[in-house]
Amino acid sequence: MAINVLSFIIFTLTIKSANGIYVGDATYTGGTNLLTTSFKLYNQKGDLLYQIIHPEAITFFISNTGEVFATNEQGLYLYNLNGTVLQLRSLHYPNGFGFSPDNTLFFASDQDGIYAYSMQGKVVYQFPPGRLYASTAQARKMAIVSTDTLFYYQKGELKFQKIISNPYIRKIYFSDDEKILHLELPDSTESIKISDFCVMEEQ
């Protein structure tokens, strides 16, 4: 007689905020499907701030001030420092998440658009969907690549759009002085001077 044995994998993934002050431990288990069994958040001293058993999320992003943005394929959630869970929105084919360079906003991107959230879970900016994007601090400047077009925003307002010469862009980023957009191609980098297309706002 054949006996089928279902084996479960149990492991813990450690996530840290960019400044290293907050540390999260996500514990997973699964046979055919991976499930999150718990999420714990600690402060820099190692004190446990809270534990969430069987959270719906599977991926976690910890801010420098301790808020946790958590996602699965269907939803985006915010965990406050006391462990309160707030569902921010449903997701439709998500394709990217991450903090702004100064860690004050969190970006969630899906087929409906790119949403920039404050640490309180409020939508600060909403942009059209795009394959790649880059921002400066507080998303004062935002660049989005969608298909063969580059869109550039200042404080949420579209300033210009430009057809790009090569659709196979791997990465988009701002120069250190935020005056130039760099488009990283498979074998070269194209640079676009923002002032050639619009008036630059004060930093």
Side-chain angles (χ1 to χ4, degrees):
M1 181 176 66
I3 300 175
N4 294 323
V5 178
L6 181 63
S7 60
F8 287 90
I9 302 171
I10 300 176
F11 66 95
T12 298
L13 180 65
T14 298
I15 312 105
K16 294 183 179 181
S17 60
N19 59 8
I21 292 178
Y22 296 94
V23 178
D25 282 339
T27 301
Y28 301 92
T29 185
T32 56
N33 295 315
L34 189 66
L35 301 172
T36 311
T37 57
S38 72
F39 177 79
K40 299 177 182 178
L41 185 69
Y42 301 87
N43 62 19
Q44 195 173 30
K45 297 178 181 178
D47 301 322
L48 178 64
L49 301 179
Y50 62 79
Q51 178 179 6
I52 299 174
I53 302 298
H54 299 299
E56 293 188 54
I58 57 174
T59 306
F60 304 89
F61 304 84
I62 305 175
S63 75
N64 284 343
T65 47
E67 295 83 8
V68 178
F69 289 85
T71 72
N72 56 29
E73 289 295 317
Q74 291 80 39
L76 174 67
Y77 308 86
L78 174 64
Y79 300 172
N80 294 312
L81 270 173
N82 60 3
T84 301
V85 179
L86 175 66
Q87 182 170 2
L88 298 181
R89 66 183 302 265
S90 297
L91 297 172
H92 303 101
Y93 301 100
N95 60 19
F97 304 97
F99 291 102
S100 60
D102 60 338
N103 214 259
T104 60
L105 296 176
F106 182 79
F107 295 104
S109 173
D110 67 5
Q111 72 170 12
D112 296 333
I114 301 171
Y115 297 80
Y117 289 90
S118 70
M119 295 302 104
Q120 292 74 45
K122 302 297 183 182
V123 176
V124 179
Y125 297 116
Q126 180 179 344
F127 303 98
R131 182 173 60 85
L132 296 171
Y133 61 89
S135 84
T136 64
Q138 299 178 343
R140 288 190 297 265
K141 299 172 184 176
M142 184 82 174
I144 299 170
V145 172
S146 180
T147 313
D148 62 349
T149 306
L150 169 70
F151 298 88
Y152 172 76
Y153 296 82
Q154 288 181 171
K155 297 180 180 177
E157 181 181 349
L158 179 64
K159 293 297 183 179
F160 74 84
Q161 62 188 63
K162 180 183 185 300
I163 301 297
I164 49 184
S165 59
N166 190 323
Y168 301 106
I169 296 174
R170 293 180 173 177
K171 182 181 178 182
I172 178 172
Y173 58 97
F174 286 88
S175 60
D176 291 341
D177 61 8
E178 302 178 1
K179 295 180 179 180
I180 297 174
L181 274 169
H182 297 294
L183 310 180
E184 190 176 291
L185 304 171
D187 55 2
S188 64
T189 299
E190 181 180 345
S191 298
I192 297 173
K193 190 176 180 181
I194 297 172
S195 60
D196 288 345
F197 297 91
C198 70
V199 176
M200 296 282 290
E201 293 188 3
E202 294 295 328
Q203 300 289 329

